[in-house]
Amino acid sequence: MTRTIKRAAVLGSGVMGSGIAAHLANVGIPTIMLDIVPKELTKDEEKKGLTLEDHAVRNRMAAQSKKALIKQKPSPITTKKSLDLIEVGNMDDDIEKLAEVDWIIEVVVENLDIKKKVFANVDKYRKAGTIVSSNTSGISVEDMAADCSEDFRKHFLGTHFFNPPRYLKLLEVIPTKDTNPEVLAFMKTFGENVLGKGVVEAKDTPNFIANRIGTYGLLVTVQKMLEGGFSVGEVDSVTGPMIGRPKSATFRTLDVVGLDTFIHVAKNVYDQVEGAEKEIFDVPDFILKMQENGWLGSKSGQGFFLKKKDKSGSIIYELNPKTLEYEDRKKLKTPATEMVKQEKGSHRKLKALVSAKGDKAGDLVWSILKPVLTYSANLVGEIADDIVSIDQAMKWGFGWEIGPFETWDAIGLGKSVERMQEEGETIPEWVLKLIEDGKESFYKTENGNVYYYDNGVYKQQSFNKKEINLKRLKDVNGVIKKNTGASFIDLGDGVAGLEFHSQSNAIGLDIIQMVNFALDEVSKNYEGLVIGNQGKNFCVGANLAMMLMEAQDDNFFELDMVVRQFQNMAMNIKYSEKPVVTAPFNMTLGGGAEVSLPATSIQASAETYMGLVEFGVGLIPGGGGTKELYLKQLRNMPKGVDFDLSKVANDVFEKVATAKVSTSAAEARENGFLNNNDAISVNPDHLLSDAKERVLSLAKASYQAPQREQIPVVGDPGYAAMLLGAKSLQLSGYASDHDVKIAEKLAYVLSGGRVKEGTLIDEQVMLDLEREAFLSLIGEPKTQQRMQHMLVKGKPLRN
């Protein structure tokens, strides 16, 4: 039989349980979320005259958790519509509903006895063949199901999501000795293809993979800080992006995770291991004292860091672990840290830093890295079958850019092992054998295939067929043409790719030139084009610094030419003879949205934050963004039914004037940036493949380029209505004089100029209006101040 999961149940509605239910709803799976029945009334319930027998009371726990999803930041839901797919109930009255679902996920308190009781009850009501899993972060998965029926045990495994489930990629899947191999294989595929996760198979050991190594690494860092007399801030300044770790580095990460959670995870390992390993997992006294004081981190308002506000703004202080008092935050600045800033890429930065012997920062990072690498190597076979699983778990669960074994390769395996031995470290035998056999690294790449070392031989790493890795692809096929901003490449099967790789993927003349080349080449030799990349963000907009410099030099002829070229590029994308699919992800702002909107179709990553944000720097979109968003919303109107044109114009006006950015691709659809021709990829690794398949399906359906459009506009009455709205905000103190000036220009563009309501205008007319408004505004001193402020401070200026 072909297994599917059409409906799920989540048992436990705490932060993690509700987060998992939200993620299931985000991907379209109806989910029932159950929790315990309260034993006493709240004061509010008493006032309403409710009793413990009322449904509202009995379902309170789950209902409150569902309601809380709306207020949580970052939001666990991609759109408020997701909440409609979450049904709430309780584990007494609604337990029979478990017979209606295909997957039951337990997320109750981390107590083995309680979990066993829950599963004994689940076993009575689930239908045969239903998959059951536990989201435990460290309790033995085997022990939980030991007393359950054979069918239950065959369909039972651990599924450890990382918090928050919507955003963190890692899903550790932990089978037991009884888990049916077909169930395990299905859950791994389902986790990747439907839930969009990076799935790693872990063994049933304390804290599995990521938390085991991650917690060890954090505790080693604390230990080295105390031994070396470093401050919390100094450690964080060199254990973040400088070594390929998240900005939250070490202690900010602990504040985000919460000290109570961290201590619980550490204790879980401490209770189950022996010797030197046990010593590392013995949480230092000052951290236990912090817990005692309630200084748990972000959730309690203070932890290793404390933010205070004064007249000049917010100041962040760091905790002194010796005095438990807050002090000015410090950073570690040494010759090595300054040198590392000149290096590009995590591999080179890390190697440069740890190679700086005798440098305070270099020696600190080396002292932290060394035990983590040997510890990871010692655990191969115990917590996971291979080094790939460990590397992926650390990247997907803890946000490391490179995993432990990739790190070892980056700093030089042979030389680093030699140094470790000189310093008295014990190296695992299998690592020494690898070196003795003449091998130089844990990984190697040949002909675009990646191989990893495993039990004396290199094995080929397998990837999902839906994953296109541009770096590996270019290593094998090369690049057809490239310049500083973009590359034109062959994605295979007759589909071409256009990859942005400028600074922040900002659009300049180099990208415009390459897009036009790509479209011309595709029209002759390919089925269609995918515009996408695998940078940090799809595109943060046009090159703001270049535009500001030209405006300050009064080079308006040059600016006019650039804007015309951008507009022409967008029109070339729109009217291409062959289908063009854009693959936006993460930040897709300003010019990034203007490249996407005219495309034949958009294949967006679920985490796409799209918006026309030019208003924030004193401008309006100049590359056709206003026109295309307006047209896209007009196309969404029901055919053959009269609708209010002014409502569409006002809606677009509001979105552009407020620089509204979607918090997800689902919300981008609600905001009108995506329509029914566009699709969403849940797994970001599959985005380019999905976009490529979209091109092929359009080509197969004998794609015809669209005809030139005539645009109905609201004219003078619409212009007056939009301007009235802006003036009202000004009178209420929500808009400045300059805001109104920008709004006036935007209203003029959207209304089509001084024409009658309902007039049909050519697209070029609206493009000309956009360009004229853009050039007029960029010459304004206050707009230039806003642009300068954004470039320097990274946030909008209100002037």
Side-chain angles (χ1 to χ4, degrees):
M1 75 168 188
T2 303
R3 188 181 287 277
T4 57
I5 291 177
K6 295 180 180 177
R7 187 169 166 80
V10 174
L11 310 181
S13 70
V15 171
M16 201 66 207
S18 61
I20 292 170
H23 187 65
L24 293 172
N26 288 337
V27 300
I29 298 173
T31 301
I32 179 165
M33 182 168 66
L34 307 180
D35 212 318
I36 58 172
V37 175
K39 292 181 180 175
E40 53 188 44
L41 296 170
T42 63
K43 288 181 180 177
D44 189 50
E45 287 166 344
E46 286 175 356
K47 280 182 187 174
K48 290 178 180 175
L50 298 173
T51 72
L52 289 171
E53 298 308 310
D54 284 304
H55 277 295
V57 175
R58 295 176 72 79
N59 294 347
R60 183 216 306 153
M61 307 288 278
Q64 284 183 343
S65 293
K66 178 180 173 180
K67 194 175 178 183
L69 289 170
I70 301 173
K71 295 179 182 176
Q72 280 181 42
K73 293 195 184 307
S75 177
I77 51 174
T78 54
T79 165
K80 286 182 180 177
K81 289 179 181 175
S82 295
L83 295 176
D84 296 339
L85 292 178
I86 301 175
E87 178 188 347
V88 299
N90 68 74
M91 286 197 253
D92 286 1
D93 304 332
D94 302 296
I95 197 76
E96 290 179 7
K97 291 181 180 179
L98 296 185
E100 303 165 8
V101 306
D102 308 299
W103 180 24
I104 301 163
I105 311 121
E106 169 273 312
V107 203
V108 304
V109 65
E110 286 288 84
N111 178 296
L112 179 60
D113 290 338
I114 292 173
K115 288 180 186 290
K116 289 184 84 160
K117 284 177 185 172
V118 168
F119 286 132
N121 209 21
V122 168
D123 205 1
K124 293 176 190 173
Y125 293 97
R126 65 178 277 278
K127 64 178 183 284
T130 300
I131 295 173
V132 184
S133 69
S134 171
N135 185 65
T136 181
S137 58
I139 292 177
S140 169
V141 180
E142 196 88 46
D143 291 349
M144 289 181 208
D147 302 328
C148 293
S149 67
E150 184 185 355
D151 185 78
F152 184 104
R153 295 198 309 276
K154 280 183 178 179
H155 294 86
F156 180 70
L157 70 168
T159 50
H160 181 216
F161 289 82
F162 271 59
N163 193 31
R166 172 183 164 185
Y167 300 97
L168 283 187
K169 187 173 177 178
L170 180 61
L171 174 62
E172 291 175 323
V173 175
I174 309 100
T176 72
K177 67 177 188 300
D178 297 319
T179 306
N180 186 326
E182 176 270 322
V183 170
L184 174 62
F186 169 79
M187 286 306 292
K188 288 164 79 170
T189 303
F190 173 81
E192 190 172 346
N193 292 346
V194 180
L195 300 180
K197 295 298 173 189
V199 182
V200 170
E201 185 179 336
K203 293 183 181 288
D204 192 8
T205 54
N207 290 4
F208 312 127
I209 302 173
N211 275 341
R212 178 79 169 265
I213 293 172
T215 306
Y216 180 90
L218 290 166
L219 285 165
V220 163
T221 306
V222 173
Q223 188 184 78
K224 299 303 177 186
M225 174 189 74
L226 296 174
E227 287 175 6
F230 294 99
S231 83
V232 163
E234 285 175 331
V235 170
D236 266 15
S237 69
V238 296
T239 57
M242 197 175 285
I243 63 168
R245 305 281 173 84
K247 285 183 181 177
S248 55
T250 300
F251 294 102
R252 178 76 187 113
T253 295
L254 288 171
D255 274 355
V256 171
V257 168
L259 249 62
D260 50 349
T261 302
F262 173 68
I263 291 167
H264 169 79
V265 171
K267 188 178 183 303
N268 191 48
V269 183
Y270 178 83
D271 290 341
Q272 298 181 66
V273 297
E274 299 295 333
E277 186 178 6
K278 194 178 189 79
E279 287 176 28
I280 292 289
F281 283 94
D282 191 4
V283 177
D285 289 340
F286 85 93
I287 295 181
L288 297 174
K289 183 65 179 170
M290 287 172 69
Q291 184 186 32
E292 220 177 277
N293 293 347
W295 302 349
L296 303 178
S298 303
K299 67 176 83 171
S300 64
Q302 69 185 99
F304 288 102
F305 294 101
L306 172 67
K307 185 189 281 189
K308 286 185 179 178
K309 288 188 177 180
D310 61 15
K311 292 176 183 176
S312 60
S314 294
I315 301 176
I316 298 173
Y317 297 93
E318 63 175 52
L319 184 74
N320 183 322
K322 291 179 181 175
T323 64
L324 288 187
E325 291 179 355
Y326 289 94
E327 301 172 350
D328 289 341
R329 189 161 53 159
K330 304 174 192 70
K331 283 188 177 180
L332 193 56
K333 280 193 176 183
T334 70
T337 62
E338 295 307 301
M339 175 186 65
V340 166
K341 289 176 185 174
Q342 311 308 314
E343 296 289 349
K344 287 188 176 178
S346 298
H347 292 71
R348 293 172 65 91
K349 285 177 186 287
L350 192 55
K351 186 172 184 178
L353 192 57
V354 299
S355 299
K357 281 188 188 179
D359 181 273
K360 205 175 178 185
D363 288 347
L364 171 62
V365 170
W366 171 249
S367 73
I368 292 166
L369 214 53
K370 187 170 51 170
V372 173
L373 298 182
T374 55
Y375 184 68
S376 301
N378 276 316
L379 290 174
V380 175
E382 181 185 333
I383 64 172
D385 283 330
D386 51 55
I387 64 171
V388 175
S389 299
I390 291 175
D391 276 347
Q392 288 178 331
M394 298 317 299
K395 290 190 289 186
W396 296 339
F398 275 74
W400 294 11
E401 277 187 48
I402 46 179
F405 298 98
E406 292 169 327
T407 295
W408 221 333
D409 281 353
I411 64 175
L413 178 59
K415 285 187 178 179
S416 61
V417 165
E418 203 176 296
R419 183 177 170 187
M420 287 176 186
Q421 287 178 312
E422 286 170 7
E423 294 171 5
E425 291 291 325
T426 303
I427 311 298
E429 285 298 321
W430 72 270
V431 176
L432 292 176
K433 186 176 186 311
L434 181 154
I435 295 168
E436 285 166 13
D437 290 347
K439 311 286 195 300
E440 297 177 352
S441 61
F442 292 106
Y443 292 92
K444 63 178 184 177
T445 304
E446 292 175 359
N447 301 318
N449 295 317
V450 180
Y451 298 87
Y452 65 95
Y453 185 81
D454 186 67
N455 288 321
V457 296
Y458 282 102
K459 294 181 179 177
Q460 187 174 334
Q461 186 176 343
S462 60
F463 297 94
N464 191 307
K465 289 179 182 177
K466 287 171 69 76
E467 181 180 342
I468 293 175
N469 182 290
L470 290 179
K471 184 181 181 303
R472 290 199 299 270
L473 188 75
K474 289 186 292 185
D475 285 345
V476 177
N477 298 340
V479 173
I480 299 168
K481 187 173 181 177
K482 72 179 288 189
N483 61 22
T484 53
S487 292
F488 181 62
I489 53 184
D490 190 334
L491 296 180
D493 301 316
V495 179
L498 194 284
E499 175 195 18
F500 295 171
H501 46 63
S502 61
Q503 182 73 31
S504 300
N505 285 344
I507 298 173
L509 286 172
D510 49 3
I511 285 181
I512 292 171
Q513 179 188 41
M514 193 56 70
V515 170
N516 288 330
F517 169 82
L519 292 169
D520 187 49
E521 194 67 22
V522 164
S523 72
K524 301 171 195 167
N525 302 311
Y526 292 88
E527 298 284 355
L529 177 69
V530 171
I531 299 178
N533 64 79
Q534 290 175 331
K536 187 179 177 184
N537 297 296
F538 175 72
C539 176
V540 296
N543 190 327
L544 196 63
M546 180 272 289
M547 291 192 299
L548 177 60
M549 188 170 64
E550 298 290 357
Q552 288 175 334
D553 290 344
D554 289 331
N555 287 339
F556 287 94
F557 177 79
E558 183 81 15
L559 278 167
D560 181 69
M561 181 202 73
V562 172
V563 178
R564 282 177 191 271
Q565 288 196 25
F566 194 121
Q567 290 184 343
N568 291 339
M569 173 196 71
M571 292 290 273
N572 290 342
I573 289 172
K574 182 172 183 175
Y575 293 109
S576 165
E577 294 174 23
K578 302 285 180 70
V580 178
V581 176
T582 54
F585 62 95
N586 293 356
M587 295 296 183
T588 304
L589 306 176
E594 289 184 298
V595 167
S596 297
L597 285 166
T600 313
S601 180
I602 297 172
Q603 182 74 42
S605 171
E607 297 302 328
T608 298
Y609 317 122
M610 187 179 283
L612 295 167
V613 296
E614 288 84 352
F615 207 99
V617 289
L619 297 166
I620 71 162
T626 304
K627 168 191 68 100
E628 284 301 329
L629 183 60
Y630 180 58
L631 279 171
K632 201 140 189 166
Q633 299 221 7
L634 286 178
R635 288 187 212 111
N636 283 343
M637 293 295 112
K639 298 286 183 287
V641 177
D642 285 339
F643 61 89
D644 188 346
L645 191 63
S646 65
K647 281 188 176 178
V648 179
N650 287 338
D651 186 55
V652 173
F653 176 81
E654 183 187 332
K655 286 184 173 73
V656 178
T658 57
K660 190 176 181 70
V661 176
S662 71
T663 60
S664 66
E667 196 175 276
R669 192 188 294 283
E670 291 172 0
N671 291 349
F673 285 84
L674 271 62
N675 61 21
N676 293 334
N677 293 327
D678 305 318
I680 296 171
S681 296
V682 179
N683 191 321
D685 291 343
H686 301 171
L687 179 62
L688 289 179
S689 175
D690 291 342
K692 176 182 161 183
E693 289 305 314
R694 181 74 181 128
V695 166
L696 290 170
S697 68
L698 286 162
K700 192 176 178 182
S702 303
Y703 174 74
Q704 295 289 315
Q707 298 299 306
R708 187 101 180 173
E709 295 192 67
Q710 292 286 302
I711 308 172
V713 291
V714 291
D716 280 336
Y719 170 75
M722 286 183 271
L723 197 55
L724 180 63
K727 297 256 186 199
S728 299
L729 286 172
Q730 183 185 26
L731 291 171
S732 305
Y734 292 109
S736 67
D737 290 346
H738 194 53
D739 289 333
V740 174
K741 181 176 280 189
I742 307 163
E744 187 178 357
K745 301 282 186 186
L746 176 61
Y748 191 73
V749 171
L750 269 169
S751 62
R754 305 307 301 268
V755 296
K756 289 181 180 179
E757 184 176 8
T759 299
L760 292 173
I761 64 171
D762 186 76
E763 281 184 274
Q764 191 58 48
V765 174
M766 194 172 270
L767 283 173
D768 291 342
L769 291 172
E770 271 195 41
R771 190 178 67 259
E772 287 160 12
F774 182 92
L775 292 170
S776 164
L777 287 167
I778 204 169
E780 293 278 346
K782 286 193 174 181
T783 286
Q784 292 179 15
Q785 287 168 17
R786 290 188 180 195
M787 293 171 77
Q788 182 81 37
H789 192 270
M790 178 61 77
L791 286 166
V792 175
K793 303 281 188 182
K795 54 186 178 183
L797 170 70
R798 293 297 307 277
N799 62 354

